[in-house]
Amino acid sequence: MLGIGTKNLGIDLGTANTIVYLEGKGIVLREPSVVARNTKTNEVISVGSEARDMIGRTPESITAIRPMKDGVIADYDTTVAMMKYYINKALGNTNGKPYVMVCVPSGITEVEKRAVIDATRVAGARDAYVIEEPFAAAIGAGLPVMDPTGSMVVDIGGGTTDVATISLGGIVSSRSIRMAGDKMNDAIVQYVRQHKNLLIGERTAEKLKWDIGSASLEAAEQMGTTEIRGRDLVTGLPKTMEVSAKDVSTALQDVVENIISAIKGTLEETSPEIAADVIDHGIVLTGGGALLKHLPDVIADATKVPVFIATDPLDCVAVGTGESLKSIDVIKK
Ligand code: ADP
Ligand code: MG
């Protein structure tokens, strides 16, 4: 037993969402990785979904910050403030400091990793350890990571898409690209601006992606249109407009193609044995980006390998990070 009386935590510190797993209990908290601060005093005003609703709507005295960018810490102090809040919330009124396992994308530098460990300690951990995100995702998705068989997992989050093949308890080959859900939202904002002369916010773009975005242009033809609101670039006035699923999906193509290239590249680097295992078991998708409509079909079509979405794709990394708390004893020795 570690830290008698105190339960340990697994934290998925994502670019879009932070998810906390409490040892012995499971996931206890899921919140957007957003903090609202007073611009003058720096005081934290709110954290999580309340802060997210403020994005794009703040007066001068408040700023809503997403402290993680592309899978790494972009704003150290705000990350610490956010983690402190979530650690306290997850632990409730138990005493003592927890050991904390945090996941990090596979491609990050030692300095970026160090920053995550330091931030977690400052936020209240007795000590902090990191686990590579694709490995955690694979554990959370229930893949046989310890077996002598190759598995492939593709985690599509807000900031990064992490692709990895895993066998015998380790990552065999991996790629991390800074192209995922956020870039999809940006692409929609750009597209609507260029082709419709309408300026829309990040949240409106994200909602469009969820509602009528598709990885397949062909499928998008059958999906109809929806109404959006923004600011007309010509008149400068608010405006309502129809946008089609085809428009949204056209905007998404570039990011989807980049994700497919990363998967193909990783497959090309794997040994014939692991490639054969992947054909047998298929590719498993995790992360919120896995929910983009028709993404599994499009990836399967491009790679000729079956593709599945993990159960509860948004939770996989947190569950895997939490389950790996069991090995903290081993890591410490
Ligand atoms: P991170 O681990 O980086 O915090 P998540 O795994 O939580 O990211 O996934 C968040 C991303 O998933 C966001 O970009 C969000 O827009 C996207 N997402 C969530 N649900 C859907 C959906 N139904 N369709 C498309 N994208 C989605
Ligand atoms: Mg993630």
Side-chain angles (χ1 to χ4, degrees), residues 27-42:
I27 290 174
V28 289
L29 190 153
R30 289 184 191 84
E31 291 272 358
S33 305
V34 186
V35 178
R37 305 187 87 141
N38 181 310
T39 41
K40 291 205 189 75
T41 62
N42 238 356

Side-chain angles (χ1 to χ4, degrees), residues 98-151:
Y99 285 95
V100 178
M101 181 75 84
V102 191
C103 64
V104 292
S106 57
I108 74 172
T109 65
E110 277 308 312
V111 175
E112 289 166 333
K113 208 181 279 182
R114 201 69 243 165
V116 171
I117 293 172
D118 287 346
T120 312
R121 287 195 184 128
V122 177
R126 176 189 302 251
D127 208 348
Y129 305 89
V130 294
I131 175 173
E132 289 194 86
E133 212 153 7
F135 195 68
I139 296 173
L143 295 173
V145 293
M146 294 301 173
D147 294 357
T149 182
S151 301

Side-chain angles (χ1 to χ4, degrees), residues 59-277:
E60 231 166 77
S61 59
I62 302 174
T63 103
I65 306 163
R66 292 182 56 189
M68 305 293 296
K69 191 165 175 13
D70 298 336
V72 298
I73 295 177
D75 179 335
Y76 184 84
D77 292 337
T78 307
T79 302
V80 169
M82 182 174 81
M83 287 187 103
K84 193 179 272 175
Y85 180 84
Y86 287 147
I87 288 174
N88 288 334
K89 199 168 169 187
L91 289 177
N93 44 15
T94 51
N95 302 312
K97 287 179 156 194
Y99 285 95
V100 178
M101 181 75 84
V102 191
C103 64
V104 292
S106 57
I108 74 172
T109 65
E110 277 308 312
V111 175
E112 289 166 333
K113 208 181 279 182
R114 201 69 243 165
V116 171
I117 293 172
D118 287 346
T120 312
R121 287 195 184 128
V122 177
R126 176 189 302 251
D127 208 348
Y129 305 89
V130 294
I131 175 173
E132 289 194 86
E133 212 153 7
F135 195 68
I139 296 173
L143 295 173
V145 293
M146 294 301 173
D147 294 357
T149 182
S151 301
M152 180 176 245
V153 61
V154 179
D155 180 73
I156 307 167
T160 59
T161 295
D162 285 87
V163 184
T165 55
I166 290 161
S167 175
L168 290 166
I171 291 177
V172 180
S173 57
S174 71
R175 275 188 191 200
S176 178
I177 56 168
R178 296 187 171 193
M179 281 254 180
D182 288 341
K183 286 275 159 62
M184 293 183 198
N185 302 348
D186 291 349
I188 295 172
V189 171
Q190 294 301 338
Y191 186 95
V192 172
R193 179 199 197 119
Q194 280 170 10
H195 297 262
K196 306 265 166 194
N197 278 323
L198 189 74
L199 201 58
I200 58 169
E202 181 188 322
R203 298 281 295 144
T204 303
E206 181 167 57
K207 198 165 178 310
L208 274 178
K209 173 181 71 176
W210 292 348
D211 293 347
I212 56 166
S214 168
S216 157
L217 277 180
E218 229 179 297
E221 307 255 13
Q222 326 291 328
M223 285 169 52
T225 64
T226 193
E227 252 183 14
I228 52 165
R229 292 184 182 79
R231 183 152 54 86
D232 187 324
L233 278 168
V234 182
T235 65
L237 298 172
K239 187 173 181 180
T240 305
M241 202 181 244
E242 289 274 314
V243 177
S244 70
K246 181 100 185 285
D247 289 328
V248 177
S249 308
T250 304
L252 298 177
Q253 283 309 298
D254 182 49
V255 179
V256 170
E257 276 163 26
N258 274 283
I259 292 173
I260 290 173
S261 297
I263 297 172
K264 279 185 164 171
T266 312
L267 282 171
E268 280 161 21
E269 281 163 17
T270 58
S271 69
E273 284 80 6
I274 289 188
D277 294 339

